[in-house]
C-alpha cells in the first residue's frame, strides 16, 4: 500500500518539502555570503511570500512525519527537518529584529502636549519666601530692615495666578499612536506566529523586548527623563528638583498616555490572537524597566526630607499621578503588570502622607519661629508675609487637600495651662473641614508668635502698631483669596478684624492719652483770685509740655511704617479727629492769656493747620526735619 501523497517515508520527502528545504538553505546566513548581506523582508514581496510558505511547509512536514519502522531512518529524517526548522527560525529571528530596528525611532510628541501647564506660580518669586536654607525659621536682616517699602503686592500676586491643581484633576484620554507602519506590523505578526508555533516564544519575546525597550529608552531621553537612582535624586538641591518635577509631570503624561499605551497597542497588534496564550510578556519586557524608572522619581520625592517649601511641588506630583492612575490601571491591567499598578498606588499614598507631614511640620515651624529682632517701624514681619502667602497657596490646592487632610490639628486648650501653645476651641468652629481648621490654627499660632515678638519693642505704642499692621495684613490676605475666605469663614474673619481694630485703639490710647492730657483745663485756674482766674505760669508750662510731647511723637512716629495706604490714612484721620478739635478748643480758650505776655511764640509754637500737616508725616517710615513747620506770624 502506497502512502498518501503528503506522507513522507523514512527515506524520502515530498516534492513541496524538498522545494521548501532548498529555499530555507538558500537563506541560511551561516552558509551563504549573499544571505548574510541581504534581508528577505527588505526585498521583493514575492520572495517574502515564498520564504514564509517554505517555513509553513517545513513545519507541516515536521508535524505530519509518521513513525518509521526503521528507527535509524526516522531519526535521520527528523534531524533533517529539525535542522531546516532551526535554520528557518534563526533567519526569522534576524528578520524580526531587522524589521523592528528599521522602524524604531523615539516618539514624536506634539508641541501642545509638551506645553501643558504644570505650575501656577513663579518658583523664583516663591523662593523669596521659601528657601531650603531658611525654611520658615530664619530671615535675612536686609529683608527685615527694609523689605516693606513695596507697592502692596506680593510676588505671588504678580505671578500667574492660575489654579495649579486644576491642571491635573481632569484625566485626558489615552492617545495611542502607530509606533510602526501597519505593513511592518503585518510582517512582524506573520513572523511571530511562525516562531511561536515552532516553540521559539522565548527568543521572540527577547528580541522584541530588547529592541522596543531601546526605543522606549530613546523616547525617555527625548522627554528629558534621566536614569537617576533614588539616592541620586535625594542628593539634588531642591531648586534643581523643582525644575525636574515640572519636566517629570509633562513627561509622565506623555509616557503613560501615549508611549506606554502605544507600546501596548503594538504588542496587541503583533501578538494578540495568534493562537498562543502569552499574556503580555512582550509588553512587560519592553516597559517594566522604563516604568519603574519613571515612577522611581516620584517615589524618591515622596520619601525625601520634608520641608515647607516642598509642599506645592509634591502636591503637583500627587495631582499629576492621581490623574494618571485610571490610565495606569487600564494600560497595566493584566496580572503580570500588577507590580506597576501597585507601585503607582503606593507612591500616591506616600506623596499624600508627605503632604500631611509637611503641613504638621509647617505648623510647628510657625509656632516655634525664634527670631527676636524687632522689625524697624513696627511694619509687617517677614514671617507674616511668608505664612499668609503659604496658606493662600494651600487654599489654591483646596480640592486635593480636603481629600488628603482628614484629621484636626493638634492644638492647645484654654484648660491645658501650657504657656507655649495658644488656645483654640473646636466647639466654636463646628461644621468646618479639617483643612479649614488647620488653616485657622496656622493663623492662631502666627498671631501667638507675633504677640511674643511684639514684646521686643520697648515702646508699647509701637508694639500695638506692630500687631495692628500684621493682623490687618492677615485679614487682607484672607479677603483677597476667595478660596481662603470661604474656608476661614466670615465669623472668624470678623474676629480677626476686631483684633486689628483693638490694636489700633490700644495704640491711640498708649500714645495720645498723655498728649491730650496736656490740653485739659484742670490745674490752670486760680481759686479765689481777683485776676483773670488763669495761672499764666501754669499755662505757659502746659503749652511747653504739649509742644515737647507732640514734637517727640512726631519725630518718632514719622519713622514708623504702616505699609497699607488705606489703613495709614484711616489711623491718621482717627488721630486728627481727637487731636485737632482738642487743640483748637484749648487754643481758643487760652490764646489771649499767652499773647498778652512776653514772647508768645515760645509757647504757642503751632497753629491748628501746623498740627494737621504734621499728622500727615506719621507712619511714612522715614525721618522728618527736627522741627515742625512753624505757624505764620
Amino acid at each position: 500500500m502506497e502512502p498518501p501523497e503528503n506522507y513522507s517515508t523514512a527515506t524520502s520527502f515530498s516534492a513541496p518539502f524538498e522545494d521548501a528545504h532548498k529555499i530555507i538553505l538558500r537563506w541560511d546566513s551561516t552558509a551563504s555570503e549573499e544571505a548574510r548581506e541581504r534581508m528577505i523582508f527588505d526585498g521583493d514581496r514575492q520572495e517574502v511570500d515564498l520564504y514564509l510558505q517554505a517555513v509553513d511547509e517545513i513545519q507541516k512536514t515536521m508535524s505530519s512525519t509518521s513513525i518509521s519502522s526503521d528507527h535509524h531512518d526516522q531519526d535521520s529524517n527528523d534531524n533533517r527537518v529539525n535542522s531546516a526548522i532551526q535554520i528557518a527560525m534563526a533567519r526569522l529571528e534576524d528578520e524580526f529584529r531587522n524589521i523592528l530596528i528599521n522602524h524604531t525611532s523615539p516618539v514624536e510628541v506634539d508641541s501642545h502636549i509638551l506645553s501643558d501647564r504644570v505650575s501656577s506660580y513663579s518658583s523664583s518669586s516663591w523662593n523669596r519666601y521659601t528657601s531650603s536654607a531658611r525654611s520658615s525659621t530664619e530671615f535675612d536682616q536686609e529683608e527685615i530692615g527694609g523689605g516693606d517699602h513695596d507697592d502692596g503686592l506680593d510676588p505671588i500676586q504678580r505671578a500667574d495666578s492660575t489654579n495649579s491643581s486644576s491642571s491635573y484633576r481632569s484625566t485626558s484620554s489615552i492617545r495611542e499612536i502607530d509606533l510602526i507602519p501597519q505593513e511592518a506590523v503585518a510582517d512582524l505578526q506573520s513572523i511571530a506566529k511562525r516562531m511561536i508555533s515552532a516553540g521559539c516564544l522565548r527568543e521572540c519575546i527577547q528580541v522584541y523586548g530588547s529592541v522596543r525597550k531601546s526605543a522606549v529608552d530613546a523616547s525617555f531621553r527625548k522627554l528629558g527623563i534621566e536614569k537617576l537612582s533614588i539616592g541620586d535624586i535625594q542628593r539634588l538641591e531642591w531648586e534643581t528638583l523643582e525644575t525636574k518635577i515640572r519636566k517629570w509631570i509633562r513627561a509622565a503624561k506623555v509616557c503613560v498616555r501615549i508611549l506606554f499605551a502605544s507600546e501596548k497597542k503594538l504588542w496587541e497588534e503583533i501578538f494578540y490572537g495568534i493562537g498562543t496564550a502569552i499574556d503580555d510578556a512582550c509588553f512587560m519586557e519592553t516597559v517594566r524597566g522604563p516604568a519603574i524608572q519613571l515612577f522611581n522619581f516620584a517615589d524618591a520625592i515622596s520619601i525625601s526630607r520634608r520641608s515647607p517649601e516642598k509642599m506645592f511641588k509634591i502636591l503637583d506630583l500627587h495631582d499629576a499621578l492621581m490623574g494618571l492612575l485610571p490610565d495606569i490601571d487600564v494600560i497595566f491591567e493584566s496580572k503580570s503588570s500588577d507590580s506597576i499598578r501597585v507601585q503607582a498606588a503606593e507612591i500616591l499614598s506616600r506623596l499624600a502622607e508627605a503632604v500631611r507631614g509637611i503641613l504638621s511640620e509647617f505648623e510647628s515651624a510657625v509656632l516655634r519661629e525664634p527670631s527676636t529682632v524687632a522689625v524697624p517701624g513696627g511694619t509687617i514681619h517677614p514671617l507674616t508675609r511668608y505664612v499668609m502667602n503659604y496658606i493662600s497657596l494651600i487654599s489654591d490646592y483646596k480640592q486635593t487637600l480636603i481629600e488628603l487632610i482628614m484629621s484636626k490639628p493638634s492644638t492647645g486648650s484654654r484648660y491645658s495651662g501650657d504657656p507655649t501653645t495658644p488656645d483654640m476651641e473646636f466647639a466654636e468652629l463646628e461644621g468646618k473641614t479639617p483643612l479649614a481648621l488647620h488653616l485657622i490654627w496656622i493663623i492662631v499660632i502666627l498671631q501667638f508668635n507675633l504677640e511674643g515678638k511684639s514684646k521686643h519693642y520697648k515702646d508699647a505704642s509701637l508694639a500695638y502698631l506692630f500687631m495692628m499692621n500684621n493682623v490687618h495684613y492677615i485679614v487682607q490676605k484672607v479677603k483677597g483669596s476667595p478660596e481662603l475666605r470661604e474656608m476661614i469663614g466670615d465669623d472668624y474673619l470678623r474676629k480677626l478684624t476686631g483684633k486689628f481694630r483693638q490694636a489700633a485703639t490700644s495704640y491711640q490710647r498708649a500714645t495720645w492719652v498723655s498728649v491730650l492730657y496736656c490740653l485739659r483745663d484742670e490745674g490752670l485756674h486760680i481759686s479765689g483770685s481777683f485776676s483773670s482766674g488763669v495761672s499764666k505760669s501754669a499755662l505757659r508750662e502746659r503749652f511747653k509740655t504739649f509742644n515737647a510731647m507732640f514734637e517727640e511723637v512726631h519725630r518718632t512716629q514719622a519713622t514708623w511704617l504702616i505699609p497699607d495706604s488705606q489703613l495709614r490714612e484711616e489711623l491718621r484721620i482717627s488721630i486728627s479727629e481727637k487731636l485737632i478739635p482738642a487743640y483748637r478748643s484749648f487754643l481758643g480758650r487760652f490764646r489771649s492769656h499767652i499773647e498778652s505776655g512776653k514772647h508768645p511764640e515760645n509757647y504757642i509754637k503751632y497753629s491748628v493747620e501746623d498740627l494737621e500737616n504734621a499728622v500727615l508725616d506719621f507712619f511714612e517710615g522715614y525721618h522728618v526735619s527736627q522741627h515742625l513747620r512753624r505757624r505764620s506770624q
Side-chain angles (χ1 to χ4, degrees):
M1 180 176 176
E2 294 182 0
E5 185 177 342
N6 65 346
Y7 182 85
S8 62
T9 66
T11 58
S12 65
F13 289 98
S14 64
F17 171 83
E18 295 295 347
D19 293 339
H21 191 257
K22 289 177 183 178
I23 293 172
I24 298 298
L25 293 180
R26 183 160 63 88
W27 287 102
D28 182 3
S29 57
T30 65
S32 165
E33 186 68 28
E34 181 184 7
R36 281 194 294 273
E37 293 179 353
R38 289 180 57 199
M39 301 303 295
I40 301 171
F41 282 78
D42 288 345
D44 185 72
R45 292 307 305 182
Q46 185 177 2
E47 197 78 62
V48 171
D49 293 338
L50 284 173
Y51 192 83
L52 292 178
Q53 290 168 10
V55 173
D56 292 341
E57 181 62 31
I58 298 294
Q59 288 184 315
K60 182 178 71 173
T61 301
M62 184 174 67
S63 61
S64 63
T65 299
S66 65
I67 300 176
S68 170
S69 56
D70 187 335
H71 292 289
H72 176 75
D73 290 342
Q74 183 64 43
D75 289 343
S76 176
N77 290 340
D78 286 347
N79 289 338
R80 191 177 179 212
V81 172
N82 287 335
S83 174
I85 284 291
Q86 289 173 9
I87 293 170
M89 290 305 108
R91 184 72 205 195
L92 287 181
E93 182 179 325
D94 290 341
E95 296 287 341
F96 193 78
R97 180 183 293 104
N98 185 65
I99 295 171
L100 285 171
I101 291 173
N102 285 346
H103 296 285
T104 289
S105 61
V107 170
E108 293 295 335
V109 183
D110 294 344
S111 59
H112 74 274
I113 297 172
L114 283 176
S115 64
D116 277 355
R117 289 174 299 160
V118 297
S119 183
S120 66
Y121 62 89
S122 165
S123 293
S124 60
S125 296
W126 181 239
N127 283 342
R128 176 181 172 187
Y129 299 96
T130 54
S131 67
S132 56
R134 292 191 300 166
S135 184
S136 64
T137 59
E138 298 175 17
F139 299 88
D140 292 338
Q141 290 303 311
E142 180 182 352
E143 184 174 8
I144 291 175
D148 294 296
H149 296 277
D150 56 25
D151 57 4
L153 294 177
D154 294 311
I156 302 302
Q157 294 170 312
R158 297 189 191 100
D160 176 17
S161 59
T162 305
N163 185 333
S164 61
S165 61
S166 66
S167 299
Y168 307 112
R169 300 303 293 183
S170 60
T171 302
S172 303
S173 59
I174 290 173
R175 273 191 56 190
E176 297 172 340
I177 60 176
D178 289 330
L179 299 173
I180 292 178
Q182 286 303 305
E183 298 81 1
V185 169
D187 286 342
L188 290 168
Q189 186 184 54
S190 65
I191 294 173
K193 181 178 180 179
R194 287 163 176 82
M195 289 185 69
I196 292 169
S197 175
C200 296
L201 170 62
R202 184 172 61 85
E203 291 81 358
C204 189
I205 290 175
Q206 285 177 344
V207 171
Y208 181 87
S210 172
V211 176
R212 288 311 308 166
K213 184 179 180 302
S214 296
V216 173
D217 288 342
S219 296
F220 267 39
R221 288 191 295 273
K222 193 166 187 177
L223 289 168
I225 302 174
E226 304 171 74
K227 285 189 175 181
L228 297 173
S229 68
I230 289 179
D232 292 335
I233 295 166
Q234 292 183 333
R235 282 189 290 271
L236 292 173
E237 292 293 331
W238 178 245
E239 289 77 8
T240 303
L241 273 178
E242 282 188 303
T243 301
K244 291 187 181 296
I245 288 171
R246 285 195 294 271
K247 290 181 179 179
W248 185 91
I249 290 170
R250 287 196 293 263
K253 292 177 181 179
V254 175
C255 287
V256 172
R257 292 173 176 157
I258 299 177
L259 186 57
F260 293 164
S262 300
E263 285 293 343
K264 185 175 183 181
K265 172 177 176 280
L266 178 61
W267 159 73
E268 289 174 342
E269 288 174 339
I270 295 173
F271 294 100
Y272 190 74
I274 59 176
T276 305
I278 62 171
D279 195 30
D280 57 355
C282 290
F283 170 61
M284 288 308 296
E285 182 80 14
T286 301
V287 303
R288 178 183 283 107
I292 292 172
Q293 178 189 339
L294 179 70
F295 294 130
N296 271 351
F297 178 85
D299 197 15
I301 301 299
S302 73
I303 60 177
S304 65
R305 184 182 64 84
R306 296 170 182 173
S307 56
E309 74 274 8
K310 296 182 179 180
M311 166 81 85
F312 306 108
K313 278 289 174 268
I314 290 179
L315 280 168
D316 287 344
L317 269 180
H318 176 277
D319 284 352
L321 190 54
M322 174 70 83
L324 290 173
L325 211 56
D327 301 318
I328 293 169
D329 288 342
V330 169
I331 295 167
F332 298 97
E333 61 184 342
S334 69
K335 186 175 181 180
S336 63
S337 55
D338 252 352
S339 60
I340 304 298
R341 294 198 311 275
V342 170
Q343 183 188 18
E346 287 179 346
I347 293 170
L348 189 69
S349 177
R350 284 194 287 272
L351 288 170
E353 185 56 39
V355 168
R356 287 188 283 269
I358 288 173
L359 182 61
S360 177
E361 291 180 17
F362 176 72
E363 291 168 351
S364 179
V366 173
L367 180 61
R368 309 299 177 196
E369 197 279 315
S371 64
T372 58
V373 178
V375 291
T379 188
I380 299 164
H381 198 285
L383 177 66
T384 307
R385 293 186 183 276
Y386 173 90
V387 171
M388 293 312 299
N389 280 285
Y390 197 91
I391 67 173
S392 293
L393 277 174
I394 285 178
S395 69
D396 288 342
Y397 289 83
K398 177 179 68 173
Q399 187 175 358
T400 298
L401 286 169
I402 283 177
E403 298 172 4
L404 299 186
I405 307 302
M406 296 171 287
S407 60
K408 298 176 181 178
S410 300
T411 67
S413 165
R414 65 171 63 109
Y415 307 111
S416 67
D418 182 0
T420 64
T421 306
D423 300 338
M424 179 171 163
E425 297 301 328
F426 292 121
E428 303 170 1
L429 300 166
E430 287 186 5
K432 294 197 176 296
T433 64
L435 175 61
L437 293 176
H438 276 274
L439 296 181
I440 292 173
W441 173 239
I442 290 170
I443 292 174
V444 168
I445 58 181
L446 171 60
Q447 292 179 86
F448 183 79
N449 192 316
L450 291 171
E451 286 166 3
K453 296 184 189 309
S454 71
K455 294 178 173 59
H456 296 300
Y457 292 103
K458 295 178 181 179
D459 189 327
S461 298
L462 185 54
Y464 290 128
L465 190 82
F466 171 77
M467 288 305 299
M468 179 198 71
N469 271 329
N470 283 270
V471 178
H472 178 265
Y473 182 84
I474 293 170
V475 169
Q476 293 306 108
K477 291 297 287 188
V478 172
K479 286 182 176 179
S481 169
E483 294 83 4
L484 185 56
R485 181 169 187 167
E486 180 187 353
M487 286 189 286
I488 296 296
D490 286 341
D491 288 344
Y492 190 73
L493 187 58
R494 281 191 290 271
K495 188 175 180 180
L496 284 173
T497 302
K499 283 192 173 185
F500 89 74
R501 294 197 183 281
Q502 179 59 48
T505 301
S506 297
Y507 151 77
Q508 293 187 69
R509 286 175 180 166
T511 297
W512 295 104
V513 165
S514 58
V515 176
L516 294 173
Y517 193 66
C518 296
L519 303 178
R520 73 194 189 284
D521 288 0
E522 290 83 0
L524 297 179
H525 295 280
I526 304 171
S527 302
S529 171
F530 292 102
S531 65
S532 63
V534 174
S535 170
K536 289 187 176 182
S537 62
L539 184 59
R540 285 194 292 267
E541 192 62 33
R542 188 68 64 81
F543 269 105
K544 286 174 64 178
T545 302
F546 172 82
N547 292 338
M549 292 185 71
F550 184 79
E551 287 169 2
E552 176 61 21
V553 170
H554 176 262
R555 182 188 65 80
T556 302
Q557 298 197 10
T559 65
W560 296 359
L561 181 63
I562 300 178
D564 185 88
S565 59
Q566 183 177 342
L567 179 62
R568 183 169 62 244
E569 186 60 26
E570 286 176 359
L571 191 56
R572 286 171 177 169
I573 290 171
S574 181
I575 292 169
S576 295
E577 286 174 346
K578 296 175 179 63
L579 174 66
I580 301 305
Y583 185 71
R584 180 184 289 115
S585 176
F586 188 79
L587 201 59
R589 293 195 305 275
F590 300 110
R591 177 196 297 266
S592 60
H593 298 286
I594 297 296
E595 290 181 339
S596 63
K598 295 180 180 180
H599 305 296
E601 70 277 3
N602 291 338
Y603 306 103
I604 304 177
K605 296 174 66 174
Y606 308 111
S607 68
V608 171
E609 291 75 16
D610 290 336
L611 295 191
E612 288 176 335
N613 290 329
V615 170
L616 298 179
D617 293 332
F618 283 27
F619 317 125
E620 289 288 348
Y622 54 80
H623 292 280
V624 293
S625 59
Q626 187 174 357
H627 300 289
L628 289 171
R629 290 183 294 272
R630 298 294 298 275
R631 67 187 177 90
S632 301
Q633 297 297 323

